[in-house]
Amino acid sequence: MATKEFTIAEVAEHNKREDLYLIIKDEVYDLTKFAQEHPGGEEILVEYAGKESTEAFDDIGHSQDAKDIMKKYHVGTIVEDERRSNKKKQKEEQKKSSSSSWFSNIKSKFF
Ligand code: HEM
């Protein structure tokens, strides 16, 4: 089955309780129906609606059960260019973070 590809901006439009998508590890989930049943509560999912939620998901240490449930709500994948696993993008982000060191932050305040 071909999976649908989404841009991050497209997922961001599904940011409401009645229309709730999340990104976890470059995969897109439609949790509109599941949110009410979520053992961690509906509110937390609404808070992350339309957003990248990988760290939040991993930090909780979700069980294998949770990982099985999420497969049911999978609706697609992030387009290759915007994936976190995209090596080119990782390099660009490294560059970005190294150029915003404490020194360049201070420098930019003065010059
Ligand atoms: C597809 C996405 C998700 C599924 C299927 C899911 C499913 C579950 C399940 C089954 C549990 C019960 C505990 C367990 O089995 O691990 C749980 C707990 C929880 N989840 Fe999620 N979850 C999802 C996404 C998220 C996200 C994105 C967050 C945070 C922003 C979150 C926050 C929590 C919290 C706070 C708990 C309660 C943990 C506790 O009581 O100790 N969940 N979730």
Side-chain angles (χ1 to χ4, degrees), residues 22 24 31 34 38-40 44-45 48 53 56-57 60 62-63 66 69-70:
L22 289 188
I24 300 173
L31 299 181
F34 175 70
H38 180 225
I44 192 146
L45 296 185
Y48 281 89
S53 317
F57 183 83
I60 305 302
H62 278 92
S63 65
I69 297 170
M70 74 198 278

Side-chain angles (χ1 to χ4, degrees), residues 29-91:
Y29 300 90
D30 176 354
L31 299 181
T32 315
K33 296 212 175 72
F34 175 70
Q36 286 177 6
E37 299 165 28
H38 180 225
E42 185 182 9
E43 289 313 311
I44 192 146
L45 296 185
V46 174
E47 216 177 284
Y48 281 89
K51 297 188 199 153
E52 161 54 55
S53 317
T54 310
E55 269 86 25
F57 183 83
D58 283 349
D59 281 355
I60 305 302
H62 278 92
S63 65
Q64 187 54 47
D65 236 19
K67 286 168 195 156
D68 288 342
I69 297 170
M70 74 198 278
K71 286 184 204 148
K72 277 205 294 193
Y73 299 95
H74 184 245
V75 288
T77 306
I78 294 297
V79 292
E80 193 169 353
D81 271 4
E82 297 187 359
R83 283 180 206 158
R84 287 157 59 112
S85 55
N86 183 321
K87 294 270 182 316
K88 204 170 102 221
K89 189 159 179 258
Q90 280 172 9
K91 273 202 195 121

Side-chain angles (χ1 to χ4, degrees), residues 3-37:
T3 36
K4 189 170 172 253
E5 296 214 326
F6 292 87
T7 61
I8 290 173
E10 275 166 355
V11 177
E13 287 169 22
H14 303 270
N15 58 359
K16 295 180 282 295
R17 195 179 299 268
E18 325 77 68
D19 178 14
L20 197 166
Y21 284 21
L22 289 188
I23 307 170
I24 300 173
K25 299 192 178 85
D26 299 325
E27 304 296 337
V28 182
Y29 300 90
D30 176 354
L31 299 181
T32 315
K33 296 212 175 72
F34 175 70
Q36 286 177 6
E37 299 165 28

